Coordinates of all heavy atoms in Angstrom, one line a residue:
A240 N 21.7 43.0 -87.5 CA 20.4 42.7 -88.1 C 20.2 41.1 -88.2 O 19.1 40.7 -88.4 CB 20.3 43.2 -89.6
W241 N 21.3 40.4 -87.9 CA 21.2 38.9 -88.0 C 21.1 38.3 -86.6 O 21.8 38.8 -85.7 CB 22.4 38.4 -88.8 CG 22.4 38.8 -90.2 CD1 23.0 40.0 -90.7 CD2 21.8 38.2 -91.3 NE1 22.7 40.1 -92.0 CE2 22.0 39.0 -92.4 CE3 21.0 37.0 -91.4 CZ2 21.5 38.7 -93.7 CZ3 20.6 36.7 -92.7 CH2 20.8 37.5 -93.8
E242 N 20.3 37.3 -86.5 CA 20.0 36.7 -85.1 C 20.3 35.2 -85.2 O 19.9 34.6 -86.2 CB 18.6 37.0 -84.8 CG 18.1 36.5 -83.4 CD 16.7 36.8 -83.2 OE1 15.9 36.8 -84.1 OE2 16.3 37.0 -82.0
Q243 N 20.9 34.7 -84.2 CA 21.1 33.3 -84.1 C 19.7 32.7 -83.7 O 19.1 33.1 -82.7 CB 22.2 32.9 -83.1 CG 22.5 31.4 -83.2 CD 23.6 31.0 -82.2 OE1 24.0 31.7 -81.3 NE2 24.1 29.8 -82.5
T244 N 19.2 31.7 -84.5 CA 17.9 31.1 -84.2 C 18.0 29.6 -84.4 O 19.0 29.0 -84.9 CB 16.9 31.6 -85.2 OG1 17.3 31.4 -86.5 CG2 16.7 33.1 -85.0
S245 N 16.9 28.9 -83.9 CA 16.8 27.5 -84.2 C 15.3 27.2 -84.2 O 14.6 27.6 -83.3 CB 17.5 26.7 -83.0 OG 17.3 25.3 -83.3
M246 N 14.8 26.6 -85.2 CA 13.4 26.2 -85.4 C 12.5 27.5 -85.3 O 11.4 27.4 -84.9 CB 13.0 25.2 -84.3 CG 13.8 24.0 -84.3 SD 13.7 23.0 -85.8 CE 14.8 21.6 -85.5
G247 N 13.1 28.6 -85.7 CA 12.2 29.8 -85.8 C 12.2 30.7 -84.6 O 11.6 31.8 -84.7
I248 N 13.0 30.4 -83.6 CA 13.0 31.2 -82.4 C 14.5 31.5 -82.0 O 15.4 30.8 -82.4 CB 12.3 30.6 -81.2 CG1 13.0 29.2 -80.8 CG2 10.8 30.4 -81.5 CD1 12.5 28.6 -79.5
P249 N 14.7 32.6 -81.2 CA 16.1 32.9 -80.8 C 16.8 31.7 -80.1 O 16.1 31.0 -79.3 CB 15.9 34.1 -79.9 CG 14.7 34.7 -80.4 CD 13.8 33.6 -80.8
A250 N 18.0 31.5 -80.3 CA 18.7 30.4 -79.8 C 20.2 30.7 -79.6 O 20.7 31.6 -80.2 CB 18.6 29.1 -80.6
R251 N 20.9 29.9 -78.8 CA 22.4 29.9 -78.7 C 22.8 28.5 -78.7 O 22.4 27.7 -77.9 CB 22.8 30.6 -77.4 CG 22.5 32.1 -77.3 CD 23.3 32.8 -76.2 NE 22.9 32.2 -74.9 CZ 23.7 32.1 -73.9 NH1 25.0 32.6 -74.0 NH2 23.3 31.6 -72.7
V252 N 23.6 28.2 -79.7 CA 24.1 26.8 -79.9 C 25.5 26.6 -79.4 O 26.4 27.4 -79.8 CB 23.9 26.4 -81.4 CG1 24.5 25.0 -81.6 CG2 22.5 26.4 -81.8
L253 N 25.7 25.6 -78.6 CA 27.1 25.2 -78.2 C 28.0 25.0 -79.3 O 27.7 24.2 -80.2 CB 27.0 24.0 -77.3 CG 26.5 24.2 -75.8 CD1 26.2 22.8 -75.2 CD2 27.5 25.0 -75.0
G254 N 29.2 25.6 -79.3 CA 30.2 25.4 -80.3 C 29.9 26.1 -81.6 O 30.7 25.9 -82.6
A255 N 29.0 27.0 -81.7 CA 28.7 27.8 -82.9 C 28.9 29.3 -82.7 O 28.5 29.8 -81.7 CB 27.2 27.5 -83.3
K256 N 29.5 29.9 -83.7 CA 29.7 31.3 -83.6 C 29.6 31.9 -85.0 O 29.8 31.2 -86.0 CB 31.0 31.7 -82.9 CG 32.2 31.2 -83.7 CD 33.5 31.6 -82.9 CE 34.8 31.2 -83.6 NZ 36.0 31.6 -82.9
A257 N 29.4 33.2 -85.1 CA 29.3 33.9 -86.4 C 30.2 35.2 -86.3 O 30.2 35.8 -85.2 CB 27.9 34.2 -86.8
S258 N 30.8 35.6 -87.4 CA 31.6 36.8 -87.4 C 31.6 37.3 -88.9 O 31.2 36.6 -89.8 CB 33.0 36.5 -86.9 OG 33.6 35.6 -87.7
L259 N 32.1 38.5 -89.0 CA 32.4 39.1 -90.3 C 33.8 38.6 -90.8 O 34.7 38.5 -90.0 CB 32.4 40.6 -90.3 CG 31.1 41.3 -90.1 CD1 31.3 42.8 -89.9 CD2 30.1 40.9 -91.2
Y260 N 33.9 38.2 -92.1 CA 35.1 37.6 -92.6 C 35.5 38.5 -93.8 O 34.7 38.7 -94.7 CB 34.9 36.2 -93.1 CG 36.1 35.5 -93.5 CD1 37.1 35.0 -92.5 CD2 36.4 35.2 -94.8 CE1 38.2 34.4 -92.9 CE2 37.5 34.5 -95.2 CZ 38.4 34.1 -94.2 OH 39.5 33.4 -94.6
T261 N 36.7 39.0 -93.8 CA 37.1 40.0 -94.8 C 38.1 39.5 -95.8 O 38.5 40.2 -96.7 CB 37.8 41.2 -94.1 OG1 38.9 40.7 -93.3 CG2 36.8 41.9 -93.1
E262 N 38.4 38.2 -95.8 CA 39.3 37.6 -96.8 C 38.5 37.0 -97.9 O 37.8 36.0 -97.6 CB 40.3 36.6 -96.1 CG 41.2 37.2 -95.1 CD 42.2 36.2 -94.6 OE1 42.5 35.2 -95.3 OE2 42.7 36.4 -93.5
K263 N 38.6 37.5 -99.1 CA 37.9 36.9 -100.2 C 36.4 36.7 -100.1 O 35.9 35.6 -100.2 CB 38.5 35.6 -100.6 CG 40.0 35.7 -101.0 CD 40.6 34.4 -101.4 CE 42.0 34.5 -101.8 NZ 42.6 33.2 -102.2
P264 N 35.7 37.8 -99.7 CA 34.2 37.7 -99.7 C 33.7 37.6 -101.2 O 34.5 37.8 -102.1 CB 33.8 39.1 -99.1 CG 34.9 40.0 -99.4 CD 36.1 39.2 -99.4
F265 N 32.4 37.3 -101.3 CA 31.9 37.2 -102.7 C 31.9 38.5 -103.4 O 32.3 38.6 -104.5 CB 30.5 36.6 -102.6 CG 29.8 36.5 -104.0 CD1 30.2 35.5 -104.8 CD2 28.8 37.4 -104.4 CE1 29.6 35.3 -106.1 CE2 28.2 37.3 -105.6 CZ 28.6 36.2 -106.5
E266 N 31.5 39.5 -102.7 CA 31.5 40.9 -103.1 C 31.8 41.8 -102.0 O 31.6 41.5 -100.8 CB 30.2 41.3 -103.8 CG 29.9 40.7 -105.2 CD 28.7 41.3 -105.8 OE1 27.9 42.0 -105.2 OE2 28.5 41.0 -107.0
G267 N 32.3 43.0 -102.3 CA 32.5 44.0 -101.2 C 33.7 43.7 -100.3 O 34.7 43.0 -100.8
K268 N 33.6 44.1 -99.1 CA 34.7 44.0 -98.1 C 34.6 42.9 -97.1 O 35.5 42.5 -96.4 CB 34.9 45.3 -97.4 CG 35.3 46.5 -98.3 CD 35.4 47.8 -97.5 CE 35.8 48.9 -98.5 NZ 35.9 50.2 -97.7
A269 N 33.3 42.3 -97.0 CA 33.1 41.3 -95.9 C 32.0 40.4 -96.3 O 31.1 40.7 -97.1 CB 32.9 42.0 -94.6
C270 N 32.0 39.2 -95.6 CA 30.9 38.3 -95.7 C 30.6 37.7 -94.3 O 31.3 38.0 -93.4 CB 31.2 37.2 -96.7 SG 32.6 36.1 -96.2
L271 N 29.6 36.9 -94.2 CA 29.3 36.2 -93.0 C 30.0 34.9 -92.9 O 29.9 34.1 -93.8 CB 27.7 36.0 -92.9 CG 27.3 35.0 -91.8 CD1 27.5 35.7 -90.4 CD2 25.8 34.7 -91.9
L272 N 30.7 34.7 -91.8 CA 31.4 33.4 -91.5 C 30.7 32.7 -90.3 O 30.7 33.3 -89.3 CB 32.8 33.6 -91.3 CG 33.6 32.4 -90.7 CD1 33.5 31.2 -91.6 CD2 35.0 32.8 -90.4
M273 N 30.1 31.5 -90.6 CA 29.6 30.7 -89.5 C 30.5 29.6 -89.2 O 30.9 28.8 -90.1 CB 28.2 30.2 -89.9 CG 27.2 31.3 -90.0 SD 25.6 30.8 -90.9 CE 25.2 29.3 -90.0
E274 N 31.0 29.5 -88.0 CA 31.9 28.4 -87.6 C 31.2 27.5 -86.6 O 30.8 27.9 -85.5 CB 33.2 29.0 -87.0 CG 34.0 29.9 -87.9 CD 35.2 30.4 -87.3 OE1 36.2 29.7 -87.2 OE2 35.2 31.6 -86.9
N275 N 31.2 26.2 -86.9 CA 30.7 25.2 -86.0 C 31.8 24.3 -85.5 O 32.5 23.7 -86.3 CB 29.6 24.3 -86.8 CG 28.3 25.1 -87.1 OD1 28.2 26.2 -86.6 ND2 27.4 24.4 -87.8
N276 N 31.9 24.2 -84.2 CA 32.9 23.3 -83.6 C 32.1 22.6 -82.5 O 32.3 22.8 -81.3 CB 34.1 24.1 -83.0 CG 35.1 23.2 -82.5 OD1 35.2 22.0 -82.9 ND2 35.9 23.7 -81.6
M277 N 31.2 21.7 -82.9 CA 30.3 21.0 -82.0 C 30.8 19.7 -81.6 O 31.5 19.0 -82.3 CB 28.9 20.9 -82.7 CG 28.3 22.2 -83.2 SD 27.0 21.9 -84.3 CE 26.4 23.6 -84.7
M278 N 30.4 19.3 -80.4 CA 30.7 18.0 -79.9 C 29.6 17.0 -80.3 O 28.5 17.0 -79.7 CB 30.7 18.0 -78.3 CG 31.9 18.9 -77.8 SD 33.5 18.3 -78.2 CE 33.6 16.8 -77.2
L279 N 29.8 16.4 -81.4 CA 28.8 15.5 -82.1 C 28.9 14.1 -81.6 O 30.0 13.6 -81.4 CB 28.9 15.6 -83.6 CG 28.8 17.0 -84.2 CD1 29.1 16.9 -85.7 CD2 27.5 17.6 -84.0

C-alpha cells in the first residue's frame, strides 16, 4: 500500500530503501524502516 514518491509523484531514490522491521516496533509485530545511504 506504500509507494516511494518525491514531490507528489512516484520516484526511486539512489541509496534509499524501505522494509518491514520487526525488532521493537511501536506496536504490534512490525514497523516501517526507511534506510538512507546517499552520496551527499
Side-chain angles (χ1 to χ4, degrees):
W241 296 89
E242 181 180 32
Q243 188 177 16
T244 59
S245 180
M246 305 297 178
I248 61 172
R251 292 192 302 151
V252 174
L253 283 166
K256 64 180 181 179
S258 61
L259 292 174
Y260 189 72
T261 57
E262 294 183 26
K263 298 181 179 179
F265 179 74
E266 285 188 349
K268 297 180 181 179
C270 64
L271 170 64
L272 167 60
M273 295 165 50
E274 297 180 79
N275 290 353
N276 185 22
M277 302 167 177
M278 298 296 292
L279 302 175

